[in-house]
Amino acid sequence: MPEGPSIVLIKENLQRFVGHTITAVSGNAKFEKDWLVNEVLLGIKTFGKQLYLVFEKAVLRTHLLLFGSYSIDEQTKPEKSLRLGIWFDSGSIFFYTCSVKEVEHSYLTEIDWQADVMSDIWDPKKAVRKLISLPDTLVCDALLDQQIFSGVGNIIKNEVLFRIGVQPESLIGDLPTAKLNQLIAEARNYSFDFLNWKRDFVLKKHWLVHTKSNCPICGERLIRKHLGKTNRRCFYCLKDQKRY
DNA sequence: AGGGTTGTTAGGGG
DNA sequence: GCCCCTAACAACCC
């Protein structure tokens, strides 16, 4: 669920509640929730893996972390503990196992929206500038840096590195300019492929290396290793991905 | 069946 | 203050 494109899909699915008024709220989220009743959902924004529900009085910031989930119009009483439930006359939204916080409107103006790979105003040139300031960073860590590639998660990371033929332990500073530009272009491009495949429930079958055992090009065994400061799983091919 | 994970934050030690 | 490590979170997949 939790990488950037999945959050864009949540936004799409919740769009029908925009303009609707809250009738009740519940859940174990640790913030005062009573003010939400009678508030109108004014809009929904995403930034990377975060989803923002905008109201007049304040904004709710949700992040699904690793295990989070949500549901719309769930009929049966949930067995798992409800983090936040929002009821409208027209239906309901439930969030589970996620971080939910109340933030002020000013929080949204502080965000570097151009850093979101899914955004209409995604700025690849800005990403180049950020990357060249971090020459000693491993590419696998750089892709997961939410200040640079907001929305990119571990799946996107592995698939992007395979697509551009770069091993995860390569240093940013050792990549030729063309390869650096390819990295940035593919971070966005793959994220949109991810979005479309996820929307059609066929994401997993398009994975080329993530959780896979063998290289789809040469058939050799893939390397599976936790790497970098982020220490996240990397899947890569020694032959078809170059170590710079 | 049970360990690992599509992720982030807080806190502590050095 | 920065870097690095650990714990917490507590669901689901293979």
Side-chain angles (χ1 to χ4, degrees), chain A residues 74 113 125 169 178 183:
Chain A
E74 197 173 322
W113 299 96
K125 292 203 186 80
E169 286 184 287
L183 172 77

Side-chain angles (χ1 to χ4, degrees), chain A residues 2-62:
Chain A
E3 299 194 28
S6 300
I7 312 307
V8 171
L9 283 177
I10 300 177
K11 178 182 165 179
E12 287 179 11
N13 293 334
L14 297 185
Q15 208 60 41
R16 57 173 252 225
F17 294 107
V18 172
H20 292 234
T21 304
I22 295 179
T23 56
V25 289
S26 77
N28 59 17
K30 292 190 199 78
F31 67 93
E32 177 55 54
K33 294 181 272 298
D34 293 345
W35 63 271
L36 282 161
V37 175
N38 293 324
E39 282 285 289
V40 176
L41 179 58
L42 298 178
I44 305 172
K45 292 178 185 297
T46 63
F47 175 66
K49 300 163 189 169
Q50 300 149 35
L51 179 80
Y52 293 95
L53 303 179
V54 182
F55 301 96
E56 189 183 347
K57 289 188 178 133
V59 176
L60 292 188
R61 174 196 189 272
T62 72

